[in-house]
Amino acid sequence: MPTRVLVPSGVLGLGFDRHALRNGIASAPDIIAIDGGSTDSGPYYLGAGVSKYSRAATLNEWKMLLQARREACVPLVLTTAGTCGTDATVDWMLEITRDAAAELGQTVRVAAVKSSQRREFIAEAFAGGRIDPLPHAPEISQTDILGCSNIVALAGVEQICAGIRSGADIVIAGRATDTSGIAALPIMNGNHPGAAWHGAKIAECGALCSTHPLSGVISVNFDENGFEVEPMADDARCTADSVSAHMLYENADPFILSEPGGKLDVSRADYQPVSKRRVRVSGSEWIASDRYTVKLEGAAPVGYQTTIIAILRDARYAARAAEWVQLLKDFLHRQIRDQASYPPEAYGIEFRLIGVNAALGALERRKGNPAEVGVLCIVSAECQAAANEIARFINPFLLHFPLTEGEELPTFAFPYSPAETERGPVYEFRLNHTLEISDPMECFALETHDYCHAVRR
């Protein structure tokens, strides 16, 4: 049986065209699937276990999708909940779902697929030879694993299917591959597996595969031989070029896509326009593996940071900003060692030249190349107190340091007071590996929640 999947946007919290969503509901989808995050914004969100997106924006969009789900009478699937997909952000999304259902007067059953991993379990798996590095992954030890603040495994279709089979109205999954929530129901329904994975890859970013990327909403119809993809915005079109090009997006190989349990090969895929708006794709191949592996992502705290910003408005200094920064950096290392008693290995200083005309903004009347340059200093240390202390030590020099000895001391500008800003803990990615498991649910947990709310009168 054909399966129509409606994808409202590339990520929950980014927004979508409401009229396009209405068109999508009118197309009679079998399921609504949307992603909730990625690693694009760096290791902080995984390390801290928090979402990048505004709760208010997420709640507002999620209410619209709950209404769409009820109108279409189909399941709603969210993967990688809360940007990073930890158990904490799945719980955050469950709270938002409870609040949304209450506001809408809906009664819903929610299946939660948890992806967080116990550090001790991963360390044991590493010792047992079940963990392999992906290309360019760092070398790791059990100590590195145990030092992670959060580790997640990326769910595939099997874990999402378990949530759908539970009979839930809504499936909220932790970290998952970008394609899994879209490919799950087509594979459950016996549609072509290569087409299911390929169509999911094309639709993962919503209307990015169309001529109107910001409209968000895309519809994919899967069958026993291939799939057809069509944007739902009135002024958007899918073309053979726009659809085929999406295999280049965030993919090291434009023809091969690795997923839990196998890989997708699109080297023989054929892209044919069906109309001015719709493209049909066939010839994709799913190659199952004899080993079931899931990707692991882990982040660990590596210290604390404080930032300080100065603005160079003297034309001579603005023109020679890079030279000035290097002189200042060399000077500071000597001063911090001799007067502040911090050895070089106890801290880090990084300078970045940023922005133009940041002091006066639209009021700027001076002309220059540029009129001013912002200097951002990032101080890293093992604790926040040390990062703050070193930033305060740097403060007067960032304000008055001269280009040459003997010249009059310059005076620059701080855009706000105090000039130092605590960034708090910082994290690094530590795991980019795969874990071999004997059963797809071995390192995932499935739980269900019922939210019962009477219609308000």
Side-chain angles (χ1 to χ4, degrees), residues 16-26 207 210-218 230-238 275-278:
F16 44 78
D17 184 320
R18 297 188 184 189
H19 178 68
L21 181 62
R22 297 294 310 167
N23 290 342
I25 296 304
S210 79
T211 59
H212 190 356
L214 292 180
S215 61
V217 190
I218 207 87
E230 179 180 7
M232 293 292 98
D234 294 339
D235 58 349
R237 296 181 298 111
C238 277
S275 69
K276 291 182 179 180
R277 296 172 47 83
R278 194 164 78 252

Side-chain angles (χ1 to χ4, degrees), residues 54-74:
S54 152
R55 189 186 192 280
T58 302
L59 173 62
N60 183 54
E61 290 185 18
W62 197 232
K63 285 194 297 183
M64 287 189 280
L65 295 184
L66 260 65
Q67 289 174 306
R69 181 212 67 80
R70 181 165 62 179
E71 182 177 344
C73 296
V74 297

Side-chain angles (χ1 to χ4, degrees), residues 173-198:
R175 189 68 172 110
T177 69
D178 293 344
T179 50
S180 59
I182 302 170
L185 188 60
I187 288 176
M188 278 180 61
N189 286 345
N191 299 142
H192 191 281
W197 283 110
H198 191 183

